[in-house]
Amino acid sequence: MNKFWIPVMAAVLALASCSGGKLMENGDVLVLDSGWTLSSEGVSGSFDAKVPSTVAGVLNEEGYFGKNLLEGKNYASIDKSIFDGVWTYKKVFVFPSAPASSQKYELVFDGLDYYADITLNGKKLASSDTTSGVFIRRAYDVSVVLKKKNTLEVSLKRAQPGDLNIGFVDWNPRPVDESMGIVRPVSLHATGDVSVEDVFVIPDLDTENFASADLKVNVTLKNHSASPVSGDLAVSFEGGEASLEVSLGAGESSVFTLDPSCMPLLHVSSPRVWWSHDLGTPEMYSLTASFCIDGKISDFKEVPFGIRKIESRLTANNYRQFTLNGKDILLKGAGWTDDIFLQDTPETLRRQVEYVKDMNLNCIRFENIWGKDDTVYDLCDRLGVLALVGWSCQWEWEDYCGLPESDGYGCINTPETEDLAVKYFRDQVVRLHNHPAIIGWMTGSDRIPNPGLEKRYMEIYSAQEYRPYINSAKNQMSTVSGWSGSKMEGPYEYVGPDYWFFDTEAGGAFGFNTETGIGANIPQIESLKKMIPESELWPISDTWNYHCTASSSAMNNMNMLTEAVNRHYGEASSLEEYVKKAHAVDYNGTGGMFAAFRVRMPLATGIVQWMLNSAWPSMYWQLYDWYGVPTAGYYGTKKACEPMQLLFNYADRSVYAVSESPEDCILTASVKVYDQDSRLLSEGQSPVMMTYRDSRPVFDLGRFDVLPHFVFLTLTDKDGKVVADNFYAIPRKDNAYDFSKTNWYKTPFTRWADLSFTFAGGENLPEVSVEKTDEGYNVTLTNGSQRVSAMNILKAKDPDGNLIVPAVWSDNFISLYPGQKKTVTLKTDVKNVNITVE
């Protein structure tokens, strides 16, 4: 029988009738996050703790390791043996009155790392010999165990080699405690006899004219009682309500599918469409499903979601092409990592996702199911940043996982590990399946799952997901799911901005490159001085190398970056000179990578910088450092990814007008070319039509190849307002590479481009003037000299001389032609800011 509840007030009264003034009403969730203590028999005393956390993270926050643990080589001196024993989290929580006998209470753990004994009021709920694994959601019926005053204890042992644990691979040193802890929320759920276990909203958007969308809602109900139950399954959406009567057998769990055929309110006219931030507004909806027995709420669950359509296809070249709401998109992203001790906060997470937007990127790749909770995915939803999620290569290499590898299939190949991975997969797919930002799942990174395991994955996926499934981040062929349509052929070490145009076999600007980059993206000098003891800052010491990657085979020292600095710009004689030249390497190299993939649309379908951030203070693979300070690569990326931009193609020596703006327009493209002595060689203008995903040549600069030269590019609108600008230092001869000797992480150079003319005139800093505004400052740079002024770094410092974080510059690492004046903005809430240029 179908019964529709209209008007809305009926549902409101029904909900109100279920509120009996109890401590916890049906549907309430009590999050147990604060007031914990942490202790171990092997360590004296106890420590105040919050949950989620890791043991090492708690100890670090409590000062157990002393100051500056992650700086210098302090981390290497930690006594890891203290993590060999059992660590116990303990929390006492009090109900104002006794729990209601008419209610069911479940104690839910979203993530325990790794072996857990759980005790509530002296009753053991779980034993470590059967309770292991980090990515499993565990729920325990504690209805008969709860009291007015409750003591909860969770005793943990760390993961061992061969366990399928959280993985940082070689990005940084392994967590000293193997991330042991209560790493995701603990909560108490109150319901009646029937609980709403999951609400999964599947939108079907009409992308022809966006006139309508249909919603399919899968609601999972569980009957906790020993008798059959009948009641009303109701949906509340956009001010309307509807319900239908359903029944469950004793102890039964069942999925009920609702759609417009039984609930017309699930047909949406003129929907507010969710777009990534670069194409529109990330509109969000909310839907509530509830179950009532005899007019009283038994349980309810509210879920946010977005209405949009995500699809992908393989192109004629076998490259994976994603579409959003019917539009082909170029994925421009970077690879995420959590903090080494999982100490990210909502504030630091928001800052990082906003950084992604500020760089004009549209995607984050989560290689691992990161996050202490759903905060980072919620932020992607709200801020319009696409997300690719999936398993880490931590489980695909014996050195990291501790299990033997099977060629092509990684390390998950026994019945026990496969069963665990399948449990992980189901729980994490269900956890994430309402997030509109998520565009697909990767069940492999460097490998593919073995056929038997993949079939089990895909059975779960077909029931719990609808977005594209990808078997690997690498170019792989599966007998179960076909080609991945992606590639992961490097490089991970330095190549020049021209490489991406010249390479046709590995990481070059074609297809969907899921992880790649130029290696070292060193922090600004203020961060370096925090990371490295003063006595070891210059010349470059082994402590610098310690903060490179933890790989045993490559990328574990500063040699490649130093060679790039020396070969391109000339050997540095001071720390300051080295850092500025290293920033030029980063700015040009990282920005050049993104530029190439944009110029090469639609042959290029996606590019993921390795990486976005760092788990600890690092020299490698980051667009902003562990302290939250953007690197030069951040601003090179931001410049290269401007929605409409002029970009140099090293292959055909032309400047291309590239647009990914959804709005068409006609702009004016301008070019100025200066020789190495800053003499103007040529200037010109040309109107250019900018249309979505168009890349077209505007200026041919091939005639200037006989000498080194500077190129300044500008796009302006009909009123003369600058839409975008860009700068290149073009050598007389490009880099040359021995592509026949390309390996998984680098392509050797046979000739290095001479870019020494960039800084040949010595220091040539522009004048700076500052104007206070409501949001921060306008900062004007004036190059009053007759020479090009390259790579000027704007710094915003607090009264103590520390770089302000966040300091959001509209542009930075700025180059100016002779006589040029340029105004940029700084957004900050900090007062008394000291602004300088270096």
Side-chain angles (χ1 to χ4, degrees):
M1 180 180 72
N2 291 354
K3 179 173 61 178
F4 299 98
W5 291 357
I6 298 175
V8 176
M9 185 56 66
V12 174
L13 292 174
L15 290 169
S17 70
C18 300
S19 57
K22 300 167 184 166
L23 172 66
M24 291 183 71
E25 299 178 6
N26 288 349
D28 283 352
V29 176
L30 175 63
V31 178
L32 304 177
D33 54 355
S34 60
W36 293 79
T37 59
L38 177 66
S39 62
S40 175
E41 290 183 1
V43 178
S44 61
S46 65
F47 306 88
D48 293 333
K50 293 181 180 179
V51 165
S53 62
T54 68
V55 172
V58 171
L59 297 185
N60 189 38
E61 287 189 353
E62 291 289 291
Y64 179 83
F65 301 116
K67 294 182 179 180
N68 307 321
L69 172 65
L70 300 182
E71 292 157 11
K73 290 187 176 180
N74 296 337
Y75 189 78
S77 64
I78 294 177
D79 178 9
K80 295 182 183 179
S81 67
I82 64 170
F83 303 111
D84 291 340
V86 174
W87 284 83
T88 299
Y89 285 82
K90 181 177 179 180
K91 178 175 174 59
V92 176
F93 60 101
V94 179
F95 279 67
S97 59
S101 59
S102 61
Q103 286 180 308
K104 307 295 182 184
Y105 297 92
E106 278 196 331
L107 187 61
V108 178
F109 296 86
D110 286 334
L112 297 170
D113 196 344
Y114 191 82
Y115 295 90
D117 291 285
I118 306 170
T119 304
L120 179 64
N121 297 331
K123 178 177 176 56
K124 179 161 281 191
L125 304 180
S127 175
S128 59
D129 58 351
T130 57
T131 307
S132 61
V134 65
F135 292 123
I136 295 177
R137 182 181 186 271
R138 297 176 171 89
Y140 303 96
D141 186 343
V142 294
S143 303
V144 299
V145 183
L146 280 177
K147 301 177 182 179
K148 184 174 181 180
K149 183 177 181 181
N150 301 275
T151 300
L152 174 62
E153 292 184 304
V154 182
S155 297
L156 295 160
K157 292 181 286 187
R158 67 175 176 84
Q160 301 296 315
D163 290 333
L164 304 184
N165 196 22
I166 294 172
F168 289 86
V169 199
D170 59 358
W171 314 334
N172 46 265
R174 291 183 79 121
V176 287
D177 61 347
E178 297 295 327
S179 301
M180 172 172 48
I182 304 177
V183 296
R184 292 207 174 133
V186 179
S187 53
L188 185 67
H189 297 227
T191 72
D193 283 342
V194 174
S195 62
V196 179
E197 294 291 296
D198 183 53
V199 180
F200 178 26
V201 182
I202 305 170
D204 184 12
L205 175 66
D206 167 21
T207 58
E208 289 295 320
N209 52 26
F210 303 102
S212 66
D214 289 334
L215 306 180
K216 182 170 78 172
V217 183
N218 291 337
V219 182
T220 304
L221 301 178
K222 182 178 181 181
N223 180 7
H224 296 267
S225 75
S227 301
V229 174
S230 295
D232 292 314
L233 172 57
V235 168
S236 173
F237 174 63
E238 289 291 283
E241 294 227 6
S243 74
L244 61 101
E245 186 175 302
V246 301
S247 298
L248 294 104
E252 180 185 0
S253 180
S254 186
V255 178
F256 296 88
T257 298
L258 313 175
D259 59 31
S261 68
C262 65
M263 290 186 175
L265 63 77
L266 297 178
H267 176 77
V268 186
S269 298
S270 301
R272 305 188 307 273
V273 177
W274 190 97
W275 290 96
S276 56
H277 72 91
D278 52 331
L279 295 178
T281 302
E283 297 282 1
M284 294 291 292
Y285 284 88
S286 179
L287 180 147
T288 300
S290 59
F291 189 78
C292 279
I293 304 172
D294 297 329
K296 295 183 178 180
I297 288 285
S298 179
D299 195 16
F300 69 92
K301 190 178 296 292
E302 181 180 5
V303 294
F305 68 97
I307 294 178
R308 50 90 188 96
K309 179 167 283 188
I310 295 289
E311 297 172 298
S312 76
R313 68 180 187 277
L314 295 183
T315 69
N317 295 306
N318 228 23
Y319 305 149
R320 187 169 296 275
Q321 173 66 64
F322 279 87
T323 67
L324 173 61
N325 301 328
K327 284 181 175 286
D328 284 355
I329 55 175
L330 175 69
L331 291 182
K332 303 180 297 294
W336 181 277
T337 179
D338 280 358
D339 176 84
I340 193 171
F341 293 146
L342 308 188
Q343 291 183 298
D344 292 306
T345 66
E347 293 75 23
T348 63
L349 293 174
R350 184 176 186 90
R351 180 181 71 214
Q352 293 182 76
V353 179
E354 287 181 337
Y355 275 168
V356 172
K357 284 185 62 177
D358 185 58
M359 283 185 282
N360 300 305
L361 300 178
N362 61 10
C363 181
I364 298 173
R365 181 183 167 206
F366 294 90
E367 185 193 330
N368 204 321
I369 307 303
W370 290 115
K372 295 185 293 186
D373 52 30
D374 278 9
T375 299
V376 69
Y377 305 102
D378 292 338
L379 286 165
C380 288
D381 293 343
R382 301 289 177 181
L383 296 177
V385 175
L386 304 170
L388 269 172
V389 297
W391 294 147
S392 167
C393 69
Q394 173 85 6
W395 303 339
E396 296 173 340
W397 299 99
E398 185 171 355
D399 287 352
Y400 303 119
C401 181
L403 294 173
E405 300 169 33
S406 174
D407 185 35
Y409 299 130
C411 303
I412 304 175
N413 298 295
T414 65
E416 295 77 16
T417 55
E418 289 182 15
D419 287 348
L420 181 59
V422 167
K423 290 179 183 177
Y424 281 4
F425 188 68
R426 186 193 183 283
D427 282 1
Q428 298 312 309
V429 168
V430 170
R431 169 197 170 200
L432 298 175
H433 61 187
N434 281 309
H435 289 282
I438 293 177
I439 61 173
W441 258 86
M442 291 180 172
T443 52
S445 178
D446 302 18
R447 297 287 187 262
I448 55 175
N450 71 59
L453 176 59
E454 187 173 20
K455 287 177 182 177
R456 297 175 70 184
Y457 281 160
M458 293 187 73
E459 182 179 349
I460 293 168
Y461 204 74
S462 64
Q464 299 293 348
E465 255 298 355
Y466 58 91
R467 283 161 277 214
Y469 167 93
I470 309 165
N471 58 41
S472 178
K474 198 170 183 178
N475 184 23
Q476 299 270 25
M477 172 63 185
S478 163
T479 58
V480 177
S481 57
W483 283 103
S484 64
S486 52
K487 69 172 184 176
M488 199 176 69
E489 307 298 331
Y492 296 88
E493 192 59 281
Y494 179 71
V495 292
D498 47 14
Y499 163 89
W500 310 98
F501 291 94
F502 297 157
D503 174 70
T504 60
E505 298 294 331
F510 57 91
F512 176 28
N513 195 335
T514 61
E515 58 178 72
T516 192
I518 67 162
N521 312 102
I522 71 166
Q524 295 193 44
I525 197 167
E526 290 79 4
S527 294
L528 287 170
K529 289 179 177 179
K530 293 180 180 179
M531 293 170 55
I532 310 296
E534 185 176 0
S535 62
E536 299 174 58
L537 269 169
W538 189 258
I540 289 174
S541 65
D542 186 55
T543 305
W544 286 62
N545 297 337
Y546 182 67
H547 286 269
C548 294
T549 81
S551 171
S552 59
S553 56
M555 302 162 295
N556 49 24
N557 57 62
M558 298 295 295
N559 295 350
M560 191 70 189
L561 176 60
T562 299
E563 184 174 16
V565 166
N566 294 346
R567 296 292 193 112
H568 282 324
Y569 297 104
E571 189 170 346
S573 60
S574 68
L575 174 66
E576 291 73 16
E577 183 184 357
Y578 180 88
V579 170
K580 188 158 189 174
K581 289 178 176 179
H583 286 332
V585 169
D586 186 10
Y587 184 98
N588 296 327
T590 304
M593 174 182 68
F594 282 101
F597 276 76
R598 298 189 72 205
V599 168
R600 287 282 179 82
M601 292 185 297
L603 183 68
T605 62
I607 173 65
V608 178
Q609 147 76 14
W610 206 249
M611 297 173 66
L612 175 67
N613 56 354
S614 290
W616 80 315
S618 178
M619 304 291 178
Y620 259 74
W621 297 342
Q622 58 194 350
L623 294 175
Y624 48 89
D625 66 29
W626 185 77
Y627 304 99
V629 177
T631 62
Y634 179 108
Y635 290 101
T637 298
K638 181 174 180 175
K639 181 69 67 178
C641 294
E642 290 279 359
M644 294 182 286
Q645 184 58 287
L646 296 173
L647 301 167
F648 182 68
N649 183 333
Y650 285 86
D652 67 12
R653 320 311 289 175
S654 293
V655 172
Y656 279 65
V658 176
S659 175
E660 291 178 89
S661 171
E663 303 297 329
D664 296 347
C665 63
I666 297 176
L667 300 177
T668 298
S670 302
V671 60
K672 290 178 179 286
V673 181
Y674 293 82
D675 71 9
Q676 62 184 323
D677 297 317
S678 300
R679 291 176 298 215
L680 182 64
L681 296 178
S682 177
E683 59 183 327
Q685 291 186 341
S686 176
V688 59
M689 182 69 187
M690 311 293 289
T691 60
Y692 180 65
R693 283 179 60 82
D694 190 24
S695 171
R696 62 179 67 183
V698 182
F699 304 115
D700 183 353
L701 302 185
R703 66 188 184 279
F704 301 109
D705 280 354
V706 294
L707 75 168
H709 54 284
F710 299 107
V711 177
F712 289 86
L713 303 167
T714 310
L715 278 173
T716 53
D717 64 16
K718 59 183 177 59
D719 298 320
K721 181 181 177 182
V722 174
V723 175
D725 59 10
N726 208 351
F727 164 78
Y728 288 89
I730 307 296
R732 188 173 67 87
K733 291 184 178 181
D734 292 325
N735 297 296
Y737 304 90
D738 188 347
F739 291 109
S740 68
K741 294 183 179 178
T742 294
N743 60 25
W744 67 272
Y745 69 95
K746 73 175 183 178
T747 296
F749 286 76
T750 59
R751 181 180 66 236
W752 291 78
D754 183 358
L755 295 166
S756 59
F757 66 98
T758 307
F759 301 113
E763 189 173 82
N764 180 27
L765 297 178
E767 296 178 4
V768 179
S769 63
V770 178
E771 176 190 9
K772 185 75 177 72
T773 67
D774 291 340
E775 291 188 316
Y777 300 87
N778 289 334
V779 180
T780 300
L781 301 179
T782 303
N783 180 11
S785 77
Q786 296 304 306
R787 292 188 291 111
V788 168
S789 179
M791 293 294 296
N792 295 289
I793 309 170
L794 287 163
K795 309 270 189 176
K797 298 182 181 181
D798 63 22
D800 295 326
N802 300 307
L803 286 177
I804 292 168
V805 176
V808 182
W809 292 97
S810 61
D811 196 3
N812 208 335
F813 294 77
I814 297 165
S815 297
L816 304 170
Y817 56 78
Q820 184 180 3
K821 179 183 291 188
K822 179 174 182 175
T823 299
V824 299
T825 62
L826 167 64
K827 292 182 179 180
T828 180
D829 295 328
V830 177
K831 309 299 181 185
N832 301 320
V833 176
N834 180 32
I835 296 174
T836 60
V837 64
E838 297 178 2

